[in-house]
Amino acid sequence: TTHLVWLRNDLRINDNSALWAACRARHARVIALFIATPQQWHQHNMAPRQAEYIWRSLQQLQQSLTEKGIALHYHQCDDFTASVSYLQDFCHEQQVDALFYNYQYEFNERERDAAVERRLTEQGVTVQGFDDSVLLPPGSVRTGNNEAYKVFTPFSKAYRKRLRAGLPECLSAPQARAETPLTTLLPLSPFDYPRESFDEQLFPVGEAAALQRLRAFCRQPVLDYPAQRDYPALEGTSRLSVCLATGTLSPRQCLHRLLREQPQALEEGQASVWLNELIWRDFYRHLLVAFPKLCKNQPFAAWTKKLAWQQRPEQFDAWCQGKTGYPIVDAAMRQLNATGWMHNRLRMIAASFLIKDLQIDWRLGERYFMSVLIDGDLAANNGGWQWSASTGTDAVPWFRIFNPTTQGERFDAQGEFIRRWLPELAAVPDKVIHHPHDWAKKNHQRLDYPLPIVEHKAAREQTLAIFEAARQAS
Ligand code: FAD
C-alpha cells in the first residue's frame, strides 16, 4: 500500500494530522509531495519573503521527513488547476492508494481540493482531509440558533468552553518508517517565483526554531503580553505569525505549550490574553468557511458596497512608501517594507489611515499588505482590513476614527519606534516627535520629511460624510 501526504501550508512533521494519519498503517509506503504554483501565488499576491520562508522551510522539512524514511517529492506547475491534473498523474505513477491532506479554508483552495477529491476517488484512490490549521473545526462552534458567530466575544466564550470540555489532541511526529533512513534527497529546485531574504533572528525558520521560540515565549513574555503588546518599540509579542501562516507550527502546539507553562490560561489571567489572539485567528478562519464572499473581494456588510472610495494614486504611493508626513504611520510602513512584518497596533493604525484619512478602498491596502507581509494570510489579513474599514463582522464602528497623531503619542510616546525607522527625524526632540513640522517651523529648521499629505480633522469629517451617505443610500 502507498500513502501520499500532500503538503501545503502545514510544513512540519510534529502535530500534522494528515502526516500522522498516513503513517498509522505500519507497513504502508509513505511518500510526501509539495506542489509549487507560482502563477496562483501571483494571483494571490504572495510576498517574496513568504516565498523565501516557504522555500527554506521546505528544505528543512525534507531533511526531517527523510530521517523518518519518507521521501518528499517536489513539483512546480502554474496554478491550482494544473496541480489537480499533476496529482492525478502522480498518484497513477506512484500507485498511490490513499491521499492524506490538511484542509485550507480559502475559496480557491477549497475548489481545488473538491476537484482533487472527485477525480482521485474516480481513480480509485481514497482521499482523506483533516482540520488541522485551527484549534476547532470551522462550523463546529455555533450560536444557540445554530448560526455562525459574527461577533467575536461570544465566539471566544463558546470556544473556551469547548476547549475546557476537551482539548484537541496534539499529535507527535510519526515514527521512522524504515530500519535505515533514506539517504538521498530528491531534488528540490527553487520555485519560479520572486524570493527575498529576511532576518532569521526575527522569524524562526523550520519547526525546531519555531518550537523553541514558542516555549520561550510561553514561559515568561506571555505574562507581560497584556501590558506590552500595544507598544511597537517593545518586543512584546511572539512573532510566530509566519510559522502559523505557513504551518511550521500548529495552533494546537501553541495551546498545549501555553497550558503546560501557564495552566490557568483557559480560565483567566495574563496568559489568557494571548490565547484570545489564537482564537481571533480561528474566528477569521471560521468566517471564511461560513461566508465565502469574504474570499471574493466583497465586504461582509452589504451596505458598505456603496461607500464612495477616492482614487488617489499619489497618496496611495505615499502611504505604501511611508511618506505620509504622519510619523507613526510612516514608521509602520517602513517597518513593513524593510522586514515583511508589522506590529499589530501599527497594522490597525496604518489601515485606518489609508481608509479613514485617505478614503482609499481597503482592498488596495489589503492587497498591498499581502504582497509584502511574510505572514500574509487571507483570513487574518482580510479580517484585519475589514475590521479597520468597518465593513466586516464585529468591525470597529464606522464613526470611530483613529487620530494617527494621538495613536502615536499613546503607543510610542517617546518616539523610540519612530526613530528606528525615520532617521530624518533624528534632530527632533522626543516631546515633539509626533509634530515634527511644528517644531521645525518654530526653530527655523529644514526637515527632509514630507508635510502631512492630508489634514486629519478635515479628512475625518469627509469620511464621516461618506459613510453617512452610504448608509442613507442603502
Ligand atoms: P501575537 O500577538 O504573538 O499573536 C499570536 C498569534 O495569534 C499570531 O501569530 C497570529 O497567528 C494570531 N493573531 C494575533 N492577532 C490576530 C488577529 N488580530 N487576527 C488574526 N490572528 C491574530 N495576521 C496574520 O497572521 N497575517 C496577516 O496577513 C495579517 N494581516 C493583518 C492586517 C491588519 C490590517 C490587521 C489589523 C491585522 C493583521 N493580522 C495578520 C493580525 C496581527 O496583526 C498579526 O497576527 C500579529 O501582528 C502577528 O504578530 P505576532 O505573531 O507577534 O502576534
Side-chain angles (χ1 to χ4, degrees):
T1 338
T2 297
H3 288 178
L4 172 64
V5 188
W6 178 22
L7 295 159
R8 298 102 65 89
N9 68 343
D10 48 353
L11 304 178
R12 63 180 185 282
I13 60 165
N14 291 287
D15 192 38
N16 183 324
S17 308
L19 177 66
W20 191 83
C23 292
R24 219 166 8 188
R26 279 210 156 261
H27 301 294
R29 176 174 81 110
V30 180
I31 53 178
L33 172 66
F34 181 86
I35 307 176
T37 50
Q39 262 182 35
Q40 196 78 41
W41 294 347
H42 276 296
Q43 275 173 35
H44 292 177
N45 299 298
M46 187 206 277
R49 286 196 187 88
Q50 187 170 91
E52 174 71 7
Y53 184 87
I54 291 174
W55 169 241
R56 301 276 308 280
S57 304
L58 257 187
Q59 289 170 312
Q60 295 218 1
L61 179 63
Q62 186 178 43
Q63 194 72 46
S64 322
L65 285 169
T66 305
E67 284 162 19
K68 299 284 179 195
I70 299 169
L72 175 65
H73 296 251
Y74 167 83
H75 180 72
Q76 174 175 303
C77 49
D78 287 345
D79 54 14
F80 286 170
T81 310
S83 71
V84 176
S85 307
Y86 178 74
L87 253 177
Q88 269 190 294
D89 295 345
F90 183 84
C91 287
H92 184 69
E93 255 168 47
Q94 296 283 336
Q95 302 187 328
V96 170
D97 299 286
L99 173 78
F100 299 80
Y101 73 99
N102 293 316
Y103 295 130
Q104 290 183 292
Y105 302 113
E106 298 86 350
F107 185 77
N108 292 338
E109 282 76 349
R110 293 177 67 195
E111 294 259 286
R112 173 202 57 194
D113 294 348
V116 164
E117 293 229 3
R118 236 181 359 253
R119 294 225 219 144
L120 289 188
T121 310
E122 279 166 20
Q123 216 169 293
V125 178
T126 313
V127 181
Q128 273 190 62
F130 299 85
D131 286 295
D132 184 73
S133 73
V134 280
L135 294 170
L136 298 170
S140 68
V141 179
R142 296 172 72 80
T143 66
N145 293 334
N146 197 24
E147 286 171 1
Y149 279 99
K150 296 182 198 133
V151 182
F152 177 73
T153 306
F155 173 84
S156 170
K157 235 172 132 182
Y159 225 65
R160 281 167 195 265
K161 198 169 159 199
R162 280 283 304 277
L163 292 172
R164 279 196 292 267
L167 289 182
E169 201 183 347
C170 195
L171 305 162
S172 50
Q175 287 185 354
R177 309 297 301 168
E179 292 283 303
T180 43
L182 301 175
T183 47
T184 49
L185 298 178
L186 292 166
L188 273 184
S189 42
F191 24 78
D192 206 359
Y193 194 85
R195 289 186 285 129
E196 191 175 347
S197 61
F198 56 84
D199 185 345
E200 269 185 51
Q201 302 294 326
L202 299 181
F203 309 109
V205 177
E207 51 189 313
L211 283 169
Q212 200 179 359
R213 162 85 52 103
L214 172 67
R215 212 171 293 134
F217 182 78
C218 289
R219 277 194 190 138
Q220 176 55 45
V222 78
L223 298 176
D224 303 324
Y225 183 77
Q228 298 200 343
R229 66 178 176 146
D230 271 320
Y231 300 95
L234 305 175
E235 276 299 320
T237 69
S238 70
R239 275 200 203 254
L240 285 169
S241 47
V242 64
C243 310
L244 285 160
T246 56
T248 54
L249 191 68
S250 78
R252 290 182 302 260
Q253 288 174 303
C254 293
L255 177 65
H256 280 261
R257 176 49 58 182
L258 179 66
L259 290 174
R260 169 118 25 120
E261 304 291 344
Q262 312 293 342
Q264 293 303 310
L266 260 178
E267 312 294 332
E268 58 189 3
Q270 279 98 322
S272 76
V273 177
W274 193 64
L275 175 60
N276 224 39
E277 299 308 313
L278 295 176
I279 299 177
W280 266 108
R281 181 179 174 277
D282 277 19
F283 180 55
Y284 286 137
R285 281 174 140 65
H286 285 218
L287 286 174
L288 282 195
V289 177
F291 307 101
K293 68 178 175 183
L294 296 176
C295 296
K296 298 179 191 172
N297 273 319
Q298 288 184 39
F300 179 79
W303 69 271
T304 63
K305 286 185 189 166
K306 297 231 158 70
L307 289 167
W309 301 114
Q310 306 297 301
Q311 304 290 329
R312 293 186 166 141
E314 281 171 24
Q315 294 193 341
F316 180 66
D317 282 350
W319 177 81
C320 292
Q321 291 171 34
K323 293 189 174 165
T324 66
Y326 282 89
I328 195 70
V329 175
D330 293 340
M333 294 306 290
R334 297 206 204 166
Q335 177 184 42
L336 172 66
N337 293 332
T339 68
W341 186 87
M342 191 195 286
H343 187 278
N344 181 58
R345 167 59 51 183
L346 301 179
R347 294 189 205 208
M348 296 194 285
I349 296 173
S352 172
F353 186 82
L354 184 81
I355 300 158
K356 302 215 174 143
D357 280 88
L358 301 181
Q359 292 125 14
I360 291 176
D361 190 334
W362 57 273
R363 284 162 282 218
L364 291 182
E366 180 194 16
R367 199 175 314 149
Y368 184 74
F369 264 33
M370 204 65 186
S371 71
V372 189
L373 280 172
I374 192 168
D375 64 18
D377 172 82
L378 192 149
N381 195 38
N382 183 271
W385 276 95
Q386 294 226 37
W387 181 88
S388 304
S390 310
T391 62
T393 62
D394 205 11
V396 67
W398 59 270
F399 45 83
R400 208 181 297 149
I401 296 181
F402 278 2
N403 176 326
T405 309
T406 319
Q407 286 286 312
E409 287 166 346
R410 268 182 74 189
F411 297 110
D412 190 34
Q414 311 299 316
E416 197 184 333
F417 180 82
I418 288 173
R419 285 184 195 292
R420 262 181 233 162
W421 296 103
L422 303 181
E424 57 270 52
L425 298 185
V428 184
D430 286 356
K431 54 181 199 293
V432 287
I433 190 93
H434 301 283
H435 306 269
H437 290 290
D438 292 352
W439 169 84
K441 201 167 159 197
K442 226 169 164 181
N443 294 281
H444 311 290
Q445 300 280 329
R446 253 202 91 246
L447 281 180
D448 185 19
Y449 181 66
L451 286 163
I453 58 172
V454 66
E455 203 262 314
H456 173 70
K457 243 183 168 171
R460 182 176 180 281
E461 294 307 318
Q462 287 159 9
T463 302
L464 291 174
I466 289 172
F467 272 82
E468 193 54 62
R471 272 173 58 86
Q472 304 271 335
S474 53

